[in-house]
Amino acid sequence: MKITTITSNRDYQRIYRRGRSFVSPALVTYAFKTKNNNLRIGITTSKKVGKAVCRNRSRRVIRAAFSHLNADQNAPFDLIFVARTRTAHCKSYEVERYMKEHLSKLGIIH
């Protein structure tokens, strides 16, 4: 499954300002409903998470958790997943559980 990514800073800022947010101990999810019928995701990690090794591991864990979910690829949403300090020390199935909870509230997964 090829995941379409969010690349422009303007899109990130719009989603942060106008989107809904869901918070869990290992993950923060921002979601913004769009007019086009494709699902785009973005992953951010700050330097608070740790050094480069921890930040990269956090991104890998989030990407792996998302790929395990059967998310509707035609859902009209832009999603941003923000890693928290705990994300670098979690397994992907733990992050997947939080992600599933957030995405089910949005109706992306059933």
Side-chain angles (χ1 to χ4, degrees):
M1 155 174 89
K2 177 69 176 159
I3 298 171
T4 308
T5 58
I6 301 168
T7 55
S8 70
N9 186 30
R10 185 174 59 167
D11 288 340
Y12 276 96
Q13 295 302 320
R14 178 175 44 88
I15 296 165
Y16 284 138
R17 270 196 317 273
R18 297 176 54 200
R20 293 178 60 190
S21 64
F22 303 96
V23 180
S24 63
L27 185 72
V28 178
T29 305
Y30 290 92
F32 183 71
K33 192 166 183 138
T34 60
K35 293 181 181 176
N36 53 0
N37 282 336
N38 61 343
L39 185 66
R40 297 189 312 162
I41 70 163
I43 300 172
T44 60
T45 55
S46 71
K47 288 194 175 186
K48 288 182 186 178
V49 173
K51 296 198 183 248
V53 174
C54 292
R55 294 194 304 267
N56 289 332
R57 184 181 190 289
S58 297
R59 282 191 285 267
R60 279 196 314 270
V61 166
I62 291 171
R63 211 174 291 120
F66 186 77
S67 68
H68 286 299
L69 294 176
N70 292 325
D72 181 16
Q73 292 299 310
N74 293 326
F77 282 98
D78 286 345
L79 302 172
I80 297 177
F81 299 111
V82 180
R84 300 186 83 179
T85 310
R86 187 183 279 186
T87 309
H89 307 291
C90 287
K91 300 288 184 183
S92 65
Y93 64 85
E94 297 171 32
V95 175
E96 182 180 348
R97 187 181 70 212
Y98 295 125
M99 193 179 292
K100 188 180 292 187
E101 180 181 314
H102 296 175
L103 297 181
S104 64
K105 287 179 184 176
L106 287 168
I108 295 174
I109 59 173
H110 305 290

